[in-house]
Amino acid sequence: MSRHSKAPFYIATGLLILAGVLLAVLRHYQLGVPWLPGQQQPVWLVEARVDFRAWGEPVTVSLNLPDSPPGFSVLSEQAASPGYGFAITQRGHDRRAEWTIRQANGPQTLYFKSRLIASAQTDTEPDNTPVTASEVFLEGPDIAAARAAIELAGSRSSNPASFTRELITLLNSPTPDQNTRLLLSDRTRAEALYLLINHSGTPARIAEGLRLEDARRQQSLLPWLQVHDGKRWLTFNPRTAEQGVPDDVLLWRQEASSLLDVTGGSNSVVSFSMLRQTVPALQIIRAEADGQAFGAFSLHQLPVEQQGMFRMLLLLPFGALVVCLMRIVVGIKTSGTFMPVLIAVAFVQTSLLPGLAAFIGVVTLGLLMRGYLSSLNLLLVSRISALIVLVLFITAGISIIGYQMGYSTGMTVTFFPMVILAWTIERMSILWEEEGAREVVTQGFGSLLVAIFAFLVMRAPLAEHLSFNFPELHLVVLGLILLLGQYTGYKLTELRRFTPMKRYD
């Protein structure tokens, strides 16, 4: 093959490797699959507790739930409500947990738990739905005070965001004027801002958020102000005028008309407790895979039984790469081309030392029996078939002996492929007759050595993690194997032929 004719091959191989890397990077950033095994991710467990007193009649309790809260994704939700019926309903952006019971009397306690993880903090997407300011009612002196505050803030601003910041600064002034004191005399700061901004013609609403702190109990929601700038809702802290939602704040209620509604009871109150936990990142990815476009191509979508099968099969390319390196670059002789890979797979299932003992024992006994079968002058098909039966009896005997001696690993030697073992014994017997015992030992030792290296690679936690969670990286392995197929240089084991040349240096 000429140098020019190899260019398309190298280009195609490079594109293959590049595609594998890019797909793996895409999976990492879209699904959040970690590059390394064992990585943990923080999860917030938030519990809402509803307490009220029932009147001895039918009860309906409706609690607002977070709907796509900025900066967080909901992993799971569950309710603890013995004797109550429970359902989650949604009307537009108003998600609610509803408890119902035919009759209840006395103090009642209901729980709702939500597991959330931090996600990318993004601005609210533009909404083309027309939004109008809410109608508010002000009387007497409040009207004059509101107009004065709106006029002052409007003169210092140029858009709804700056107007809101100026109003918040005005109401938080350490030396409030008469108008400010009047507006705050019988209402909270958030309520005053809601009235002022809507009175000015800009849509505004009050949201409620929960500040997340580890191991806190009996917490209440804090008010937050949201203002519509004509394209999207902007969130402000009414206490500091800071725009945006902090990373440690969960906006529990945004568009709902109420936080809690109780029918058939009184004295209702809701409080929140929270706990910060850490869970394996892959557990979170399995829970979120259904909601991601790239998740449809994840092996985590398969049934558990099939996942276990693919965990083993996807290790084979790494074993094949090790065999290529050891045979093409190092130059180790093996019995069969990819026999070491199959032996390594058996070692993965049996563990290394029991697998080595079983392999050596079965092959040794098989060679002795093959010598006897050779003296019978049987045809090849009959000889191989007889070896399969004999190998079956040998492995069964080893398993029984191991079990009786208390070694449970002895039972797993039956995973060795019987036909492959039989062919190995046959090949070694023929090699013994043609090349002698030394060549049999050389190739047998080489096969075991390569199988051990392949086993160590396949059993590495990083290899198991990457092969199953980033299957597209096998395109990179394929590209490397193809490149090794073009290697025509000296093998490392051949360099000893040049040692006599050192005498003449």
Side-chain angles (χ1 to χ4, degrees):
M1 181 180 293
S2 65
R3 183 180 299 273
H4 176 72
S5 62
K6 289 185 178 181
F9 167 78
Y10 288 119
I11 293 175
T13 305
L15 291 176
L16 193 68
I17 295 175
L18 181 62
V21 173
L22 290 179
L23 288 173
V25 171
L26 179 63
R27 185 184 296 273
H28 170 72
Y29 282 104
Q30 187 177 47
L31 291 181
V33 182
W35 293 114
L36 300 176
Q39 289 189 5
Q40 303 284 316
Q41 187 165 344
V43 174
W44 284 100
L45 176 62
V46 180
E47 179 184 80
R49 171 174 171 166
V50 179
D51 292 288
F52 65 97
R53 177 172 292 277
W55 298 336
E57 57 186 53
V59 174
T60 299
V61 179
S62 178
L63 173 68
N64 173 248
L65 301 180
D67 182 46
S68 302
F72 290 91
S73 297
V74 179
L75 284 181
S76 63
E77 296 175 322
Q78 66 181 69
S81 49
Y84 281 78
F86 176 78
I88 295 179
T89 63
Q90 183 158 2
R91 299 178 184 89
H93 293 282
D94 188 9
R95 293 181 68 244
R96 309 194 72 86
E98 291 190 356
W99 291 269
T100 56
I101 193 171
R102 177 67 65 181
Q103 184 178 12
N105 191 22
Q108 304 289 309
T109 301
L110 306 175
Y111 293 94
F112 183 85
K113 297 180 181 180
S114 181
R115 297 173 70 240
L116 307 104
I117 61 168
S119 60
Q121 183 76 270
T122 57
D123 294 333
T124 306
E125 295 183 0
D127 187 1
N128 296 324
T129 304
V131 180
T132 58
S134 300
E135 187 175 358
V136 296
F137 299 96
L138 295 172
E139 298 180 353
D142 287 343
I143 297 179
R147 289 176 179 174
I150 291 172
E151 182 178 354
L152 179 59
S155 65
R156 300 175 179 177
S157 62
S158 59
N159 52 50
S162 59
F163 174 69
T164 302
R165 285 193 294 268
E166 290 298 328
L167 274 180
I168 295 175
T169 303
L170 181 63
L171 295 186
N172 284 281
S173 173
T175 57
D177 57 18
Q178 181 179 359
N179 293 325
T180 302
R181 289 196 298 269
L182 178 61
L183 292 170
L184 296 176
S185 61
D186 58 350
R187 57 180 65 92
T188 65
R189 187 177 291 106
E191 292 172 344
L193 289 168
Y194 170 81
L195 291 173
L196 289 173
I197 296 175
N198 280 288
H199 188 69
S200 69
T202 299
R205 66 190 184 192
I206 296 179
E208 291 182 301
L210 185 66
R211 189 169 294 277
L212 299 176
E213 298 180 66
D214 189 22
R216 296 300 299 269
R217 302 172 62 249
Q218 302 296 321
Q219 299 298 295
S220 302
L221 297 178
L222 297 175
W224 293 76
L225 186 68
Q226 291 187 322
V227 178
H228 201 275
D229 65 351
K231 295 181 179 179
R232 57 176 60 85
W233 287 100
L234 306 178
T235 304
F236 295 87
N237 187 335
R239 296 161 291 279
T240 63
E242 180 183 358
Q243 183 176 344
V245 183
D247 293 337
D248 61 345
V249 171
L250 168 66
L251 284 187
W252 187 277
R253 184 181 72 88
Q254 296 185 77
E255 297 188 36
S257 57
S258 62
L259 174 64
L260 178 65
D261 297 322
V262 177
T263 303
S266 59
N267 300 327
S268 60
V269 62
V270 58
S271 60
F272 296 87
S273 303
M274 62 208 73
L275 188 66
R276 187 179 184 272
Q277 303 173 325
T278 55
V279 299
L282 286 177
Q283 179 180 337
I284 298 175
I285 292 163
R286 296 188 193 102
E288 290 190 310
D290 293 337
Q292 299 285 348
F294 210 77
F297 300 97
S298 172
L299 292 174
H300 293 289
Q301 301 295 311
L302 297 176
V304 176
E305 182 180 0
Q306 296 185 24
Q307 288 187 37
M309 177 186 66
F310 275 103
R311 282 187 182 275
M312 178 61 64
L313 292 179
L314 290 173
L315 292 174
L316 292 178
F318 289 107
L321 179 61
V322 171
V323 172
C324 288
L325 286 170
M326 299 298 287
R327 285 180 60 93
I328 297 174
V329 179
V330 181
I332 295 180
K333 294 182 179 180
T334 62
S335 177
T337 306
F338 287 103
M339 175 66 67
V341 178
L342 299 176
I343 299 174
V345 171
F347 289 166
V348 168
Q349 296 181 350
T350 63
S351 72
L352 184 59
L353 294 180
L356 277 173
F359 179 82
I360 295 174
V362 172
V363 172
T364 301
L365 293 175
L367 284 175
L368 295 176
M369 295 181 179
R370 164 61 174 78
Y372 174 73
L373 293 177
S374 180
S375 64
L376 299 178
N377 295 323
L378 297 177
L379 296 176
L380 177 63
V381 176
S382 298
R383 195 163 59 236
I384 294 296
S385 301
L387 275 176
I388 292 176
V389 177
L390 293 174
V391 167
L392 175 62
F393 278 108
I394 294 172
T395 53
I398 292 176
S399 298
I400 294 173
I401 293 173
Y403 178 75
Q404 294 296 332
M405 295 177 62
Y407 297 103
S408 59
T409 54
M411 298 296 292
T412 60
V413 299
T414 55
F415 283 106
F416 277 99
M418 302 299 172
V419 177
I420 298 300
L421 277 175
W423 270 110
T424 301
I425 295 170
E426 177 67 17
R427 285 176 59 86
M428 288 186 173
S429 298
I430 296 175
L431 187 64
W432 193 313
E433 296 173 356
E434 296 179 350
E435 303 291 340
R438 181 176 180 178
E439 189 66 20
V440 171
V441 174
T442 300
Q443 292 192 15
F445 177 77
S447 298
L448 285 180
L449 182 62
V450 175
I452 291 174
F453 280 116
F455 164 80
L456 294 176
V457 172
M458 295 164 67
R459 285 295 294 171
L462 181 61
E464 294 181 345
H465 174 78
L466 293 178
S467 65
F468 187 77
N469 296 290
F470 295 96
E472 52 276 347
L473 287 180
H474 288 94
L475 295 177
V476 178
V477 176
L478 176 59
L480 295 176
I481 291 174
L482 293 176
L483 291 176
L484 285 174
Q486 294 290 317
Y487 179 76
T488 56
Y490 289 108
K491 297 176 175 61
L492 296 180
T493 54
E494 295 176 337
L495 296 180
R496 68 176 185 271
R497 296 187 303 169
F498 300 97
T499 53
M501 298 180 63
K502 294 182 179 179
R503 302 172 185 174
Y504 301 99
D505 289 345

